[in-house]
Amino acid sequence: MKIEISLPSWLLADVAALDEEQSWAAGEERMAWVLSLARRNIEEESGGPFAAAVFEKESGRLVAAGVNRVIPAYTSIAHAETVALALAQQKLKTHDLAAAGLPAMELVASAQPCIQCFGNTWWSGVKGLVIGARADDVESIVGFHEGPLPDGWPDLLENRPEPLPNVSVTRDLLREEARAVLALYRDSGGMVYNAGGE
Ligand SMILES: [Zn+2]
């Protein structure tokens, strides 16, 4: 038995065509690319309207990218952030992206992490979280449920108990563009795959 979540072939081809040493500028350049992946995932009908990527925070090198694969992979865990984090960890052969010797890592996500992805971000070892759309956008535009996050969750990430590394949080980066991706999914009749079938 094993758990299998694969990336769509278009994304494998896109990533394979990149220069591994490319330095992605912090902020909008990284987010714009992630949003382009979310949009492509809709257009290719290869999953939900979300994408995420792990970058080395300072060098800007891409470690791993993921898109939502809940429906094609038959698992509710296949959210974009979770896929990107797991691929980054398996590529680096460690469960801990804050392990000694590794550069600081950043998760760039097209939308705010849900209850699951907040937990996975917490445990992943990333030291930065950059978000496009807010959970309110995801819920109001598409109708997904995001689950409850703790009050003050950005502060909880930014001020974690020792010895956990703090996670800087940047919100609303290219938020309007991120909202447009969600609207495209709604307008193209994308499936809302909340548990319970609502
Ligand atoms: Zn999630």
Side-chain angles (χ1 to χ4, degrees), residues 79 81 114 116-117:
H79 290 188
E81 302 95 313
C114 71
Q116 169 187 227
C117 297

Side-chain angles (χ1 to χ4, degrees), residues 44-196:
E44 299 279 354
E45 300 183 352
S46 48
F50 305 101
V54 175
F55 293 91
E56 293 180 8
K57 213 173 171 185
E58 301 304 325
S59 77
R61 273 196 288 270
L62 174 69
V63 182
V67 289
N68 178 288
R69 298 287 279 164
V70 166
I71 294 172
Y74 310 116
T75 174
S76 56
I77 70 172
H79 290 188
E81 302 95 313
T82 296
V83 171
L85 290 169
L87 287 172
Q89 291 165 334
Q90 295 200 342
K91 178 178 181 178
L92 298 169
K93 300 195 184 313
T94 174
H95 64 282
D96 180 7
L97 295 177
L102 288 180
M105 304 285 175
E106 169 180 275
L107 176 67
V108 179
S110 63
Q112 179 178 317
C114 71
I115 184 173
Q116 169 187 227
C117 297
F118 173 77
N120 290 338
T121 300
W122 183 277
W123 296 124
S124 67
V126 293
K127 295 177 181 172
L129 172 64
V130 181
I131 305 165
R134 291 197 173 215
D136 285 352
D137 300 328
V138 175
E139 294 189 328
S140 66
I141 295 173
V142 191
F144 289 120
H145 293 298
E146 292 292 282
L149 293 189
D151 287 341
W153 62 269
D155 285 343
L156 294 175
L157 283 170
E158 291 188 324
N159 300 285
R160 300 209 296 168
E162 294 281 344
L164 300 174
N166 291 330
V167 182
S168 64
V169 178
T170 304
R171 292 199 279 177
D172 299 335
L173 187 66
L174 299 181
R175 183 181 178 191
E176 283 311 307
E177 290 85 343
R179 286 171 53 89
V181 170
L182 298 170
L184 173 67
Y185 187 75
R186 175 198 63 204
D187 295 345
S188 61
M191 184 176 173
V192 178
Y193 42 80
N194 292 319

Side-chain angles (χ1 to χ4, degrees), residues 5 9 15 29 34 52 85 87 104 185:
I5 301 169
S9 54
V15 170
E29 183 174 279
V34 166
L85 290 169
L87 287 172
Y185 187 75

